[in-house]
Amino acid sequence: MVGNTSANASVRTQINWEVIFVQILVFAFLCINTMMILTFFTRAYFYTNIRYILFATSLLSDCLMLIVTNALLILSYSRTAMPLSLCLVFFVVSSVYGFVTPVTLTAMTLERYVAICMPLRHAQLCSKLRALWCIFIIHGISSVPCVLILLSFFAPATQNLLRKFQICAVHQFTSQTWQIDLRLGISQTYFLIMCLVIMFCYAKIMKVAKAASGDNKKSSRKGLRTVILHGVQLLLCLTQMWCPFIEAAVLKISFVAFNTVRFSNYILFYLVPRCLSPLIYGLRDDKFVLALKYYALCDFRRNKSLDLTR
C-alpha cells in the first residue's frame, strides 16, 4: 500500500509540473499571437493584402486550437467527466481547426508561388475579395473530415448517447476499427495532396530562382525558405492527427506512459507548429516586424504615421 501511494503521489506531482509547464508555454504563445493579430488590424496595408490575411487566419486558428486543446488537456488531467454533447463541441472545434492551419499553410504556399512565378497576375488572382473566398473555402475543406467522422460515429449510435458522462477524448468518436481506418485514410489523403502542392510550388520557385538575378533572386530564395518552413510546419501539424490513436494504444499498456506520451505529443505536434507561424510570416517579414516593433514600443491607441507601402 505504501509503495502504491508513493507511486501515485509521484505521478500526481509529475502531472502537476507538466500542466504548469504547458500553461506557461500556451500563455506565451497566445500573447505573441495576440500581439501579431492586433498589429495586423492596425494597418490597412495588412488587412487588404492576401498574404497577411492568410497569416492572420492561421494565427486566429492557432489561438483557438491552443485554447481548446489546452482546456481538454486540463480536463483530462483532472479526470473531469462531461456529457458527450459538450465533448462533441470540443471535438468539432479541434477537428476543424486542426485542419484549418495546414490547409491555410498550403494556400499561403500557393500565394508565394503566384507572387514569384506569376507576378503580373498576382494582383488579379490574389485580391482582397478572393482572399475572403479563400478563407471560406479553407474552412469548407477543413470541415469535410469532421463531418465524415461524425456521420460514421452517429450512424450506429443510440439516442441516449449524448447524455452519457465520461472524460472527453478525441478517440471516443473513432472507437471502431473501420472508423479509425476512415480517419487515417482522410488524414493521409489530405497529407498527400498538401505535400504534392508544396513540392510543386517548391520546384517552380526553384526554377525561377535559378533564372533570376539581383532583387528577384533574393526574393525567390526567401520564397524557397518560406516554402521549406511551411513543409516542416505542415508535417508537424498533420502528425498530430496520429496522436489520439497512439495515445489510445499506450493507455491500454500503462497510464504513466500514457501521460508521458500525451505530454510529448502536445509539445511537439500542437505547440511547436503553432509557434512556427509567427517565426515564418511574422518575424521574417520586414514590414510586419517594423509595424510590430512600432506598436510594441509605442501604444496601439496613438495615431502616428507608419508608411509600409515602400
Side-chain angles (χ1 to χ4, degrees):
M1 289 292 292
V2 176
N4 291 335
T5 304
S6 300
N8 291 334
S10 177
V11 170
R12 284 196 297 270
T13 302
Q14 180 184 359
I15 290 175
N16 289 337
W17 277 111
E18 288 176 354
V19 171
I20 293 171
F21 180 67
V22 167
Q23 300 316 301
I24 294 172
L25 290 179
V26 169
F27 179 76
F29 292 153
L30 287 177
C31 286
I32 294 171
N33 286 4
T34 301
M35 178 66 74
M36 290 192 169
I37 292 169
L38 291 175
T39 301
F40 166 80
F41 283 108
T42 55
R43 306 305 303 177
Y45 176 78
F46 293 139
Y47 56 77
T48 56
N49 188 313
I50 188 172
R51 179 182 183 185
Y52 298 103
I53 292 173
L54 291 175
F55 172 54
T57 301
S58 69
L59 288 178
L60 289 169
S61 172
D62 290 345
C63 287
L64 186 57
M65 189 69 177
L66 285 175
I67 292 171
V68 171
T69 55
N70 186 52
L72 281 174
L73 188 72
I74 293 173
L75 292 171
S76 178
Y77 271 130
S78 61
R79 311 295 291 172
T80 302
M82 66 176 68
L84 193 63
S85 56
L86 179 58
C87 183
L88 179 64
V89 176
F90 281 102
F91 171 77
V92 169
V93 175
S94 62
S95 178
V96 171
Y97 283 92
F99 278 97
V100 165
T101 294
V103 174
T104 304
L105 289 174
T106 307
M108 293 166 78
T109 302
L110 286 170
E111 186 276 330
R112 285 294 83 201
Y113 160 72
V114 173
I116 295 172
C117 300
M118 307 167 63
L120 298 179
R121 299 192 61 190
H122 183 264
Q124 176 189 357
L125 295 175
C126 300
S127 63
K128 181 181 177 181
L129 180 60
R130 289 180 184 271
L132 297 177
W133 277 108
C134 186
I135 292 173
F136 284 119
I137 293 171
I138 287 170
H139 282 77
I141 293 173
S142 303
S143 300
V144 171
C146 179
V147 172
L148 293 177
I149 291 169
L150 290 181
L151 286 176
S152 70
F153 175 74
F154 283 108
T158 59
Q159 293 182 349
N160 296 326
L161 183 64
L162 291 177
R163 300 176 184 176
K164 184 180 178 181
F165 274 74
Q166 56 191 41
I167 298 172
C168 187
V170 174
H171 59 78
Q172 292 174 230
F173 298 93
T174 50
S175 56
Q176 302 297 322
T177 303
W178 67 274
Q179 293 172 331
I180 295 174
D181 293 338
L182 174 64
R183 182 171 182 179
L184 287 176
I186 294 171
S187 301
Q188 290 172 353
T189 301
Y190 272 61
F191 177 77
L192 178 61
I193 294 173
M194 293 176 192
C195 284
L196 289 175
V197 170
I198 287 182
M199 287 189 292
F200 169 80
C201 294
Y202 180 84
K204 291 294 185 180
I205 296 173
M206 174 72 79
K207 185 177 179 180
V208 172
K210 289 182 178 179
S213 61
D215 292 339
N216 290 334
K217 194 174 188 68
K218 182 180 179 181
S219 176
S220 298
R221 287 180 174 176
K222 188 174 182 179
L224 281 175
R225 290 193 295 269
T226 300
V227 171
I228 292 172
L229 287 171
H230 279 334
V232 174
Q233 190 178 8
L234 182 64
L235 179 63
L236 292 173
C237 284
L238 293 176
T239 303
Q240 79 184 35
M241 299 170 190
W242 294 73
C243 293
F245 306 112
I246 297 173
E247 292 166 7
V250 173
L251 181 59
K252 297 177 181 179
I253 301 172
S254 169
F255 181 72
V256 177
F258 166 74
N259 281 322
T260 303
V261 170
R262 181 175 53 179
F263 176 73
S264 301
N265 286 342
Y266 189 75
I267 297 296
L268 290 175
F269 304 121
Y270 284 87
L271 294 185
V272 171
R274 282 154 184 82
C275 77
L276 288 177
S277 288
L279 173 64
I280 294 173
Y281 261 94
L283 302 181
R284 291 179 67 247
D285 187 282
D286 296 335
K287 293 177 181 178
F288 200 87
V289 167
L290 178 64
L292 186 62
K293 288 181 179 179
Y294 179 83
Y295 289 109
L297 296 175
C298 302
D299 185 38
F300 280 91
R301 295 169 296 179
R302 291 170 63 179
N303 294 319
K304 291 186 178 181
S305 61
L306 178 63
D307 187 8
L308 299 171
T309 60
R310 291 180 294 180

